[in-house]
Amino acid sequence: MRLDKYLKVSRLIKRRTLAKEVAENERILVNDKLAKPSKELNVGDIITIEFGNKIVKVRVASLDSFVKKEDALNMYEFISEEKKELKS
């Protein structure tokens, strides 16, 4: 499954166009490498997303193309979340 679609289906990012934009702005890593929106994901991949002042890291647990809202959390395993130091 493509990275941008996965982020939308798993509800890590609300809209696919926003997921695509974030990836194009080099704010998403897959297995510690910059990822394009079209990057094909596999179960076990580590996704790191930079959201403003925080960095979220998750492991892909499943690649379902459709899930109910309440089941979206089962698509990934939360690894960490850290605050990013803002440059002054």
Coordinates of all heavy atoms in Angstrom, one line a residue:
M1 N 0.8 -1.2 0.0 CA 0.0 0.0 0.0 C 0.9 1.2 0.0 O 1.9 1.3 0.7 CB -0.9 0.0 1.2 CG -1.7 1.2 1.4 SD -2.8 1.3 2.9 CE -3.8 -0.1 2.7
R2 N 0.5 2.3 -0.7 CA 1.2 3.5 -0.8 C 1.2 4.2 0.6 O 0.3 4.1 1.3 CB 0.6 4.5 -1.8 CG 0.8 4.1 -3.2 CD -0.1 5.0 -4.1 NE 0.2 6.4 -3.9 CZ 0.8 7.2 -4.7 NH1 1.2 6.8 -5.9 NH2 1.0 8.5 -4.4
L3 N 2.3 4.9 0.9 CA 2.4 5.7 2.1 C 1.3 6.6 2.3 O 0.7 6.7 3.4 CB 3.8 6.4 2.1 CG 4.0 7.3 3.3 CD1 4.1 6.6 4.6 CD2 5.3 8.1 3.1
D4 N 1.0 7.5 1.3 CA -0.1 8.5 1.5 C -1.4 7.8 1.8 O -2.2 8.3 2.7 CB -0.2 9.5 0.4 CG -0.3 8.8 -1.0 OD1 -0.3 7.6 -1.1 OD2 -0.6 9.5 -2.0
K5 N -1.7 6.7 1.2 CA -3.0 6.0 1.4 C -3.0 5.4 2.8 O -4.0 5.5 3.6 CB -3.3 5.0 0.4 CG -4.6 4.3 0.6 CD -5.0 3.4 -0.5 CE -6.4 2.8 -0.2 NZ -6.8 1.9 -1.2
Y6 N -1.9 4.8 3.2 CA -1.8 4.2 4.5 C -2.0 5.2 5.6 O -2.7 5.0 6.6 CB -0.4 3.5 4.7 CG -0.3 2.9 6.1 CD1 -0.8 1.6 6.3 CD2 0.4 3.6 7.1 CE1 -0.6 1.1 7.6 CE2 0.5 3.0 8.4 CZ 0.0 1.8 8.6 OH 0.1 1.2 9.9
L7 N -1.4 6.4 5.5 CA -1.5 7.4 6.5 C -3.0 7.9 6.7 O -3.5 8.2 7.8 CB -0.6 8.6 6.2 CG 0.9 8.3 6.3 CD1 1.7 9.5 5.8 CD2 1.3 8.0 7.8
K8 N -3.7 7.9 5.6 CA -5.1 8.3 5.6 C -6.0 7.2 6.2 O -6.8 7.4 7.1 CB -5.6 8.7 4.2 CG -7.0 9.2 4.2 CD -7.8 8.4 3.2 CE -9.2 9.0 3.1 NZ -10.2 8.1 3.7
V9 N -5.8 6.0 5.7 CA -6.6 4.8 6.2 C -6.4 4.6 7.7 O -7.3 4.3 8.4 CB -6.3 3.6 5.4 CG1 -7.0 2.3 6.0 CG2 -6.8 3.8 3.9
S10 N -5.1 4.7 8.1 CA -4.8 4.5 9.5 C -5.2 5.7 10.4 O -5.1 5.6 11.6 CB -3.3 4.2 9.7 OG -2.6 5.3 9.4
R11 N -5.6 6.8 9.8 CA -6.0 8.0 10.4 C -4.8 8.7 11.2 O -5.0 9.4 12.1 CB -7.2 7.8 11.3 CG -8.4 7.5 10.5 CD -9.6 7.1 11.3 NE -10.8 7.0 10.5 CZ -11.1 6.0 9.7 NH1 -10.3 5.0 9.5 NH2 -12.3 6.0 9.1
L12 N -3.6 8.4 10.8 CA -2.4 9.1 11.4 C -2.5 10.5 10.8 O -2.1 11.5 11.5 CB -1.1 8.4 11.0 CG -0.8 7.2 11.8 CD1 0.3 6.4 11.1 CD2 -0.4 7.6 13.2
I13 N -2.9 10.7 9.6 CA -3.1 12.0 9.0 C -4.5 12.0 8.3 O -4.9 11.0 7.7 CB -2.0 12.3 7.9 CG1 -0.7 12.4 8.6 CG2 -2.4 13.6 7.1 CD1 0.5 12.8 7.6
K14 N -5.3 13.0 8.5 CA -6.7 13.0 8.2 C -7.0 12.8 6.7 O -7.9 12.1 6.4 CB -7.3 14.3 8.7 CG -8.6 14.1 9.5 CD -9.1 15.4 10.0 CE -10.0 15.1 11.2 NZ -10.4 16.3 11.9
R15 N -6.3 13.5 5.8 CA -6.6 13.5 4.4 C -5.4 13.0 3.6 O -4.3 13.3 3.9 CB -7.0 14.9 3.9 CG -8.3 15.3 4.5 CD -8.8 16.7 4.0 NE -7.8 17.7 3.7 CZ -7.3 18.5 4.6 NH1 -7.8 18.5 5.8 NH2 -6.4 19.4 4.3
R16 N -5.7 12.3 2.5 CA -4.6 11.8 1.7 C -3.8 12.9 1.1 O -2.6 12.8 0.9 CB -5.2 10.9 0.6 CG -4.1 10.1 -0.1 CD -4.7 9.0 -0.9 NE -3.7 8.3 -1.7 CZ -4.0 7.3 -2.5 NH1 -5.2 6.8 -2.5 NH2 -3.1 6.7 -3.2
T17 N -4.5 14.0 0.7 CA -3.7 15.1 0.0 C -2.8 15.7 1.0 O -1.7 16.1 0.7 CB -4.7 16.2 -0.5 OG1 -5.6 16.6 0.5 CG2 -5.5 15.6 -1.7
L18 N -3.2 15.8 2.3 CA -2.3 16.4 3.3 C -1.1 15.4 3.6 O 0.0 15.9 3.8 CB -3.1 16.6 4.6 CG -2.3 17.2 5.8 CD1 -1.8 18.6 5.4 CD2 -3.2 17.3 7.0
A19 N -1.4 14.1 3.6 CA -0.3 13.1 3.8 C 0.7 13.3 2.6 O 1.9 13.2 2.8 CB -0.9 11.7 3.8
K20 N 0.2 13.5 1.4 CA 1.1 13.6 0.3 C 1.9 14.9 0.4 O 3.1 14.9 0.2 CB 0.2 13.7 -1.0 CG 1.0 13.8 -2.3 CD 0.1 13.9 -3.5 CE 0.9 14.0 -4.7 NZ 0.3 14.7 -5.8
E21 N 1.3 16.0 0.8 CA 2.0 17.2 1.0 C 3.1 17.1 2.1 O 4.2 17.6 1.9 CB 0.9 18.3 1.4 CG 1.4 19.7 1.3 CD 0.2 20.6 1.6 OE1 -0.7 20.7 0.8 OE2 0.3 21.4 2.6
V22 N 2.8 16.5 3.2 CA 3.8 16.3 4.3 C 5.0 15.5 3.8 O 6.1 15.8 4.0 CB 3.1 15.7 5.5 CG1 4.1 15.3 6.6 CG2 2.1 16.6 6.1
A23 N 4.7 14.4 3.0 CA 5.8 13.6 2.5 C 6.6 14.4 1.5 O 7.9 14.3 1.5 CB 5.2 12.3 1.8
E24 N 6.0 15.2 0.6 CA 6.7 16.0 -0.4 C 7.6 17.0 0.3 O 8.6 17.5 -0.3 CB 5.7 16.6 -1.4 CG 5.2 15.6 -2.3 CD 4.1 16.1 -3.2 OE1 3.5 17.2 -2.9 OE2 3.7 15.5 -4.2
N25 N 7.2 17.5 1.5 CA 8.0 18.5 2.2 C 9.1 17.8 3.1 O 9.6 18.4 4.0 CB 7.1 19.3 3.1 CG 6.3 20.3 2.2 OD1 6.8 20.9 1.2 ND2 5.0 20.6 2.6
E26 N 9.4 16.5 2.8 CA 10.4 15.8 3.5 C 10.3 15.8 5.0 O 11.2 15.9 5.7 CB 11.8 16.4 3.1 CG 12.0 16.3 1.6 CD 13.4 16.8 1.1 OE1 14.1 17.5 1.9 OE2 13.8 16.5 0.0
R27 N 9.0 15.5 5.5 CA 8.8 15.4 6.9 C 8.4 14.0 7.3 O 7.9 13.8 8.4 CB 7.7 16.4 7.3 CG 8.2 17.8 7.0 CD 7.2 18.9 7.1 NE 7.0 19.1 8.6 CZ 6.0 19.8 9.1 NH1 5.2 20.5 8.2 NH2 5.9 20.0 10.3
I28 N 8.5 13.0 6.4 CA 8.2 11.6 6.7 C 9.4 10.7 6.3 O 9.9 10.8 5.2 CB 6.9 11.1 6.0 CG1 5.7 12.0 6.4 CG2 6.7 9.7 6.3 CD1 4.5 11.6 5.7
L29 N 9.8 9.9 7.3 CA 10.8 8.9 7.0 C 10.2 7.5 7.1 O 9.3 7.3 8.0 CB 11.9 9.0 8.1 CG 12.7 10.3 8.2 CD1 13.6 10.3 9.4 CD2 13.4 10.7 7.0
V30 N 10.6 6.6 6.3 CA 10.3 5.2 6.4 C 11.6 4.4 6.5 O 12.5 4.5 5.7 CB 9.5 4.7 5.2 CG1 9.2 3.2 5.3 CG2 8.1 5.4 5.1
N31 N 11.7 3.7 7.7 CA 13.0 3.0 8.0 C 14.2 4.0 7.9 O 15.2 3.6 7.3 CB 13.1 1.8 7.1 CG 12.0 0.8 7.2 OD1 11.5 0.6 8.3 ND2 11.6 0.1 6.2
D32 N 14.0 5.1 8.5 CA 15.1 6.2 8.5 C 15.5 6.7 7.2 O 16.6 7.3 7.1 CB 16.3 5.7 9.4 CG 15.9 5.4 10.8 OD1 15.1 6.2 11.4 OD2 16.4 4.5 11.4
K33 N 14.7 6.6 6.2 CA 15.0 7.2 4.8 C 13.9 8.1 4.4 O 12.7 7.7 4.7 CB 15.2 6.1 3.8 CG 16.4 5.2 4.1 CD 16.6 4.1 3.0 CE 17.7 3.2 3.4 NZ 17.7 2.0 2.6
L34 N 14.2 9.2 3.8 CA 13.1 10.1 3.3 C 12.2 9.3 2.4 O 12.6 8.5 1.6 CB 13.7 11.3 2.5 CG 14.2 12.4 3.3 CD1 14.8 13.5 2.4 CD2 13.1 13.0 4.2
A35 N 10.9 9.5 2.5 CA 9.9 8.8 1.8 C 9.0 9.7 0.9 O 8.6 10.7 1.4 CB 9.0 7.9 2.7
K36 N 8.8 9.2 -0.3 CA 7.8 9.9 -1.2 C 6.4 9.4 -0.9 O 6.3 8.3 -0.3 CB 8.2 9.6 -2.6 CG 9.5 10.3 -3.0 CD 9.8 10.0 -4.5 CE 11.2 10.7 -4.8 NZ 11.5 10.6 -6.2
P37 N 5.4 10.1 -1.3 CA 4.0 9.6 -1.1 C 3.7 8.3 -1.7 O 2.9 7.5 -1.2 CB 3.2 10.7 -1.7 CG 4.0 11.9 -1.8 CD 5.4 11.4 -1.9
S38 N 4.4 8.0 -2.8 CA 4.2 6.7 -3.5 C 5.0 5.5 -2.9 O 4.8 4.4 -3.4 CB 4.6 6.9 -4.9 OG 5.9 7.2 -5.1
K39 N 5.7 5.7 -1.9 CA 6.5 4.6 -1.2 C 5.6 3.5 -0.8 O 4.6 3.7 -0.2 CB 7.3 5.2 0.0 CG 7.9 4.1 0.9 CD 9.1 3.6 0.4 CE 9.8 2.7 1.4 NZ 10.5 1.6 0.8
E40 N 6.0 2.3 -1.3 CA 5.2 1.1 -0.9 C 5.6 0.6 0.4 O 6.8 0.4 0.7 CB 5.4 0.0 -2.0 CG 4.7 0.2 -3.3 CD 3.2 0.2 -3.2 OE1 2.6 -0.6 -2.4 OE2 2.5 1.0 -3.9
L41 N 4.6 0.4 1.3 CA 4.9 0.0 2.7 C 4.8 -1.5 2.8 O 4.0 -2.1 2.1 CB 4.0 0.7 3.7 CG 4.1 2.2 3.8 CD1 3.0 2.7 4.7 CD2 5.5 2.6 4.3
N42 N 5.5 -2.0 3.8 CA 5.4 -3.5 4.2 C 5.1 -3.5 5.7 O 5.5 -2.6 6.4 CB 6.7 -4.2 3.9 CG 7.0 -4.2 2.4 OD1 6.2 -4.6 1.6 ND2 8.2 -3.7 2.1
V43 N 4.5 -4.6 6.2 CA 4.3 -4.8 7.6 C 5.7 -4.8 8.3 O 6.6 -5.4 7.8 CB 3.5 -6.1 7.9 CG1 3.5 -6.4 9.3 CG2 2.1 -6.0 7.3
G44 N 5.8 -4.1 9.3 CA 7.1 -4.0 10.1 C 7.9 -2.7 9.8 O 8.8 -2.4 10.5
D45 N 7.5 -2.0 8.7 CA 8.2 -0.7 8.4 C 8.0 0.2 9.6 O 7.0 0.3 10.2 CB 7.7 -0.1 7.1 CG 8.2 -0.8 5.9 OD1 9.2 -1.6 6.0 OD2 7.7 -0.6 4.8
I46 N 9.0 1.1 9.8 CA 9.0 2.1 10.9 C 8.7 3.4 10.2 O 9.5 3.8 9.3 CB 10.3 2.2 11.7 CG1 10.7 0.8 12.3 CG2 10.2 3.3 12.8 CD1 9.8 0.3 13.3
I47 N 7.6 4.1 10.5 CA 7.3 5.4 9.9 C 7.6 6.5 11.0 O 7.1 6.4 12.1 CB 5.9 5.5 9.5 CG1 5.5 4.4 8.5 CG2 5.5 6.9 8.9 CD1 4.1 4.3 8.1
T48 N 8.3 7.5 10.6 CA 8.6 8.7 11.5 C 8.0 9.9 10.8 O 8.3 10.2 9.7 CB 10.1 8.9 11.7 OG1 10.7 7.7 12.2 CG2 10.4 10.0 12.7
I49 N 7.1 10.6 11.5 CA 6.4 11.7 11.0 C 6.7 13.0 11.9 O 6.5 12.9 13.1 CB 4.8 11.5 11.0 CG1 4.5 10.2 10.3 CG2 4.1 12.7 10.3 CD1 3.1 9.8 10.5
E50 N 7.0 14.0 11.2 CA 7.3 15.3 11.9 C 6.1 16.2 11.8 O 5.7 16.6 10.7 CB 8.5 16.0 11.2 CG 9.1 17.1 11.9 CD 10.2 17.7 11.2 OE1 11.1 17.0 10.8 OE2 10.3 19.0 11.1
F51 N 5.4 16.4 12.9 CA 4.2 17.2 13.0 C 4.6 18.5 13.8 O 4.7 18.5 15.0 CB 3.1 16.6 13.8 CG 2.4 15.4 13.2 CD1 2.7 14.1 13.7 CD2 1.5 15.5 12.2 CE1 2.0 13.0 13.2 CE2 0.9 14.4 11.7 CZ 1.1 13.2 12.2
G52 N 4.8 19.6 13.1 CA 5.1 20.8 13.8 C 6.2 20.7 14.8 O 7.4 20.6 14.5
N53 N 5.8 20.7 16.1 CA 6.8 20.6 17.1 C 6.9 19.2 17.8 O 7.5 19.1 18.9 CB 6.5 21.7 18.2 CG 5.2 21.4 19.0 OD1 4.4 20.6 18.5 ND2 5.1 21.9 20.1
K54 N 6.4 18.2 17.1 CA 6.6 16.8 17.7 C 6.9 15.8 16.6 O 6.6 16.1 15.4 CB 5.3 16.4 18.5 CG 4.1 16.2 17.7 CD 3.0 15.7 18.6 CE 1.7 15.5 17.8 NZ 0.6 15.1 18.6
I55 N 7.6 14.8 17.0 CA 7.9 13.7 16.1 C 7.3 12.4 16.6 O 7.5 12.0 17.8 CB 9.5 13.6 16.0 CG1 10.1 14.9 15.5 CG2 9.9 12.4 15.1 CD1 11.6 15.0 15.6
V56 N 6.5 11.8 15.7 CA 5.8 10.5 16.1 C 6.4 9.4 15.3 O 6.7 9.5 14.1 CB 4.3 10.6 15.8 CG1 3.6 9.3 16.1 CG2 3.7 11.8 16.6
K57 N 6.7 8.3 16.0 CA 7.3 7.1 15.4 C 6.3 5.9 15.6 O 5.9 5.6 16.8 CB 8.6 6.8 16.0 CG 9.5 5.8 15.2 CD 10.9 5.7 15.8 CE 11.8 6.6 15.2 NZ 13.2 6.3 15.4
V58 N 5.9 5.2 14.5 CA 5.1 4.1 14.6 C 5.6 2.9 13.7 O 6.4 3.1 12.8 CB 3.6 4.4 14.2 CG1 3.0 5.4 15.1 CG2 3.6 4.8 12.7
R59 N 5.2 1.7 14.1 CA 5.5 0.5 13.3 C 4.3 0.0 12.6 O 3.2 -0.1 13.2 CB 6.1 -0.6 14.2 CG 6.4 -1.9 13.4 CD 7.0 -3.0 14.3 NE 8.3 -2.6 14.8 CZ 8.6 -2.3 16.1 NH1 7.6 -2.3 17.0 NH2 9.8 -1.9 16.4
V60 N 4.3 -0.3 11.3 CA 3.2 -0.7 10.5 C 2.8 -2.1 11.0 O 3.7 -3.1 10.9 CB 3.5 -0.8 9.0 CG1 2.4 -1.4 8.2 CG2 3.9 0.6 8.5
A61 N 1.6 -2.3 11.4 CA 1.1 -3.6 11.9 C 0.3 -4.4 10.9 O 0.3 -5.6 10.8 CB 0.4 -3.5 13.2
S62 N -0.5 -3.6 10.1 CA -1.3 -4.2 9.0 C -1.5 -3.2 7.9 O -1.4 -2.0 8.1 CB -2.7 -4.7 9.6 OG -3.5 -3.5 9.8
L63 N -1.9 -3.7 6.7 CA -2.0 -2.9 5.5 C -3.4 -3.1 5.0 O -3.6 -3.2 3.8 CB -1.0 -3.3 4.5 CG 0.5 -3.1 4.8 CD1 1.4 -3.7 3.8 CD2 0.7 -1.6 4.9
D64 N -4.4 -3.0 5.8 CA -5.8 -3.1 5.4 C -6.2 -1.9 4.6 O -5.9 -0.8 5.0 CB -6.8 -3.2 6.6 CG -6.4 -4.4 7.4 OD1 -6.0 -5.5 6.9 OD2 -6.5 -4.3 8.7
S65 N -6.9 -2.1 3.4 CA -7.2 -0.9 2.6 C -8.4 -0.2 3.1 O -8.7 1.0 2.7 CB -7.4 -1.3 1.2 OG -8.4 -2.3 1.1
F66 N -9.2 -0.8 4.0 CA -10.3 -0.1 4.6 C -10.5 -0.6 6.0 O -10.5 -1.8 6.3 CB -11.6 -0.3 3.8 CG -12.8 0.3 4.5 CD1 -13.1 1.6 4.4 CD2 -13.7 -0.5 5.3 CE1 -14.2 2.2 5.0 CE2 -14.8 0.1 5.9 CZ -15.0 1.4 5.8
V67 N -10.7 0.3 7.0 CA -11.0 -0.1 8.4 C -11.9 0.9 9.0 O -12.0 2.0 8.6 CB -9.7 -0.2 9.3 CG1 -8.8 -1.3 8.9 CG2 -9.0 1.1 9.3
K68 N -12.7 0.4 9.9 CA -13.6 1.3 10.6 C -12.8 2.3 11.5 O -11.7 1.9 11.9 CB -14.6 0.5 11.5 CG -15.5 -0.3 10.7 CD -16.5 -1.1 11.6 CE -17.4 -1.9 10.8 NZ -18.3 -2.7 11.7
K69 N -13.3 3.4 11.8 CA -12.6 4.4 12.6 C -12.0 3.8 13.9 O -10.9 4.0 14.3 CB -13.6 5.6 13.0 CG -12.9 6.7 13.6 CD -13.9 7.8 13.8 CE -13.2 9.1 14.4 NZ -14.2 10.2 14.5
E70 N -12.8 3.0 14.6 CA -12.4 2.5 15.9 C -11.3 1.4 15.8 O -10.6 1.1 16.7 CB -13.6 1.9 16.7 CG -14.4 0.9 16.0 CD -15.6 1.5 15.2 OE1 -15.6 2.7 15.0 OE2 -16.4 0.7 14.7
D71 N -11.2 0.8 14.6 CA -10.1 -0.2 14.3 C -8.8 0.4 13.7 O -7.9 -0.4 13.6 CB -10.7 -1.3 13.4 CG -11.8 -2.1 14.0 OD1 -11.9 -2.2 15.2 OD2 -12.7 -2.5 13.2
A72 N -8.8 1.7 13.4 CA -7.7 2.3 12.8 C -6.4 2.2 13.7 O -5.3 2.0 13.1 CB -7.9 3.7 12.4
L73 N -6.6 2.2 15.0 CA -5.4 2.1 15.9 C -4.7 0.8 15.8 O -3.5 0.7 16.1 CB -5.9 2.4 17.3 CG -6.3 3.8 17.7 CD1 -6.9 3.8 19.1 CD2 -5.0 4.7 17.6
N74 N -5.4 -0.2 15.3 CA -4.8 -1.6 15.2 C -3.9 -1.7 14.0 O -3.2 -2.7 13.8 CB -5.9 -2.6 15.1 CG -6.7 -2.7 16.4 OD1 -6.2 -2.4 17.5 ND2 -8.0 -3.0 16.3
M75 N -3.9 -0.7 13.1 CA -3.0 -0.7 11.9 C -1.6 -0.4 12.2 O -0.7 -0.6 11.4 CB -3.6 0.3 10.9 CG -4.9 -0.2 10.2 SD -5.3 0.8 8.9 CE -4.1 0.4 7.7
Y76 N -1.3 0.2 13.4 CA 0.1 0.5 13.7 C 0.3 0.3 15.2 O -0.6 0.3 16.0 CB 0.4 1.9 13.3 CG -0.5 3.0 13.9 CD1 -0.2 3.6 15.1 CD2 -1.6 3.4 13.3 CE1 -1.0 4.5 15.7 CE2 -2.4 4.4 13.8 CZ -2.1 4.9 15.0 OH -2.9 5.9 15.6
E77 N 1.6 0.1 15.5 CA 2.1 0.1 16.9 C 2.8 1.4 17.2 O 3.8 1.7 16.5 CB 3.0 -1.1 17.1 CG 2.4 -2.5 16.8 CD 3.5 -3.6 16.8 OE1 4.5 -3.4 17.4 OE2 3.2 -4.5 16.1
F78 N 2.4 2.1 18.2 CA 3.0 3.3 18.6 C 4.4 3.0 19.3 O 4.5 2.2 20.1 CB 2.1 4.0 19.6 CG 2.6 5.3 20.1 CD1 2.4 6.4 19.3 CD2 3.2 5.5 21.3 CE1 2.9 7.7 19.7 CE2 3.7 6.7 21.7 CZ 3.5 7.8 20.9
I79 N 5.4 3.7 18.8 CA 6.7 3.5 19.3 C 7.1 4.6 20.2 O 7.5 4.4 21.4 CB 7.8 3.3 18.2 CG1 7.5 2.1 17.4 CG2 9.2 3.2 18.7 CD1 8.3 1.9 16.1
S80 N 7.1 5.8 19.7 CA 7.4 7.0 20.5 C 6.9 8.3 20.0 O 6.5 8.4 18.9 CB 9.0 7.1 20.6 OG 9.5 7.5 19.4
E81 N 6.9 9.3 20.9 CA 6.5 10.6 20.5 C 7.4 11.5 21.3 O 7.6 11.4 22.5 CB 5.1 10.9 20.9 CG 4.6 12.3 20.6 CD 3.2 12.6 20.9 OE1 2.3 11.7 20.7 OE2 2.8 13.7 21.3
E82 N 8.1 12.5 20.6 CA 9.0 13.4 21.3 C 8.7 14.8 20.9 O 8.3 15.0 19.7 CB 10.4 13.0 21.1 CG 10.9 12.9 19.7 CD 12.3 12.3 19.5 OE1 12.4 11.1 19.8 OE2 13.1 13.1 19.1
K83 N 9.0 15.7 21.8 CA 8.9 17.1 21.4 C 10.1 17.5 20.7 O 11.2 17.1 21.0 CB 8.7 18.0 22.7 CG 7.5 17.7 23.5 CD 6.4 18.7 23.1 CE 5.2 18.5 23.9 NZ 4.0 19.0 23.3
K84 N 9.9 18.4 19.7 CA 11.1 18.9 18.9 C 11.4 20.2 19.4 O 10.6 21.1 19.6 CB 10.7 18.9 17.4 CG 11.8 19.2 16.5 CD 11.4 19.0 15.1 CE 11.3 20.4 14.5 NZ 11.0 20.4 13.0
E85 N 12.7 20.5 19.6 CA 13.2 21.8 20.0 C 13.0 22.8 18.9 O 13.4 22.5 17.7 CB 14.7 21.7 20.4 CG 15.0 20.7 21.5 CD 15.0 21.3 22.8 OE1 15.2 22.6 22.9 OE2 14.8 20.6 23.8
L86 N 12.3 23.9 19.2 CA 12.2 24.9 18.2 C 13.4 25.8 18.1 O 13.9 26.2 19.2 CB 10.9 25.8 18.5 CG 9.6 25.0 18.4 CD1 8.4 26.0 18.9 CD2 9.3 24.5 17.0
K87 N 13.8 26.1 16.9 CA 15.0 27.0 16.8 C 14.6 28.4 17.0 O 13.6 28.8 16.5 CB 15.6 26.8 15.4 CG 16.1 25.4 15.2 CD 16.6 25.2 13.7 CE 17.0 23.7 13.5 NZ 17.2 23.5 12.1
S88 N 15.4 29.2 17.7 CA 15.1 30.6 18.0 C 15.9 31.5 17.2 O 16.9 31.2 16.6 CB 15.2 30.9 19.4 OG 16.4 30.5 20.0

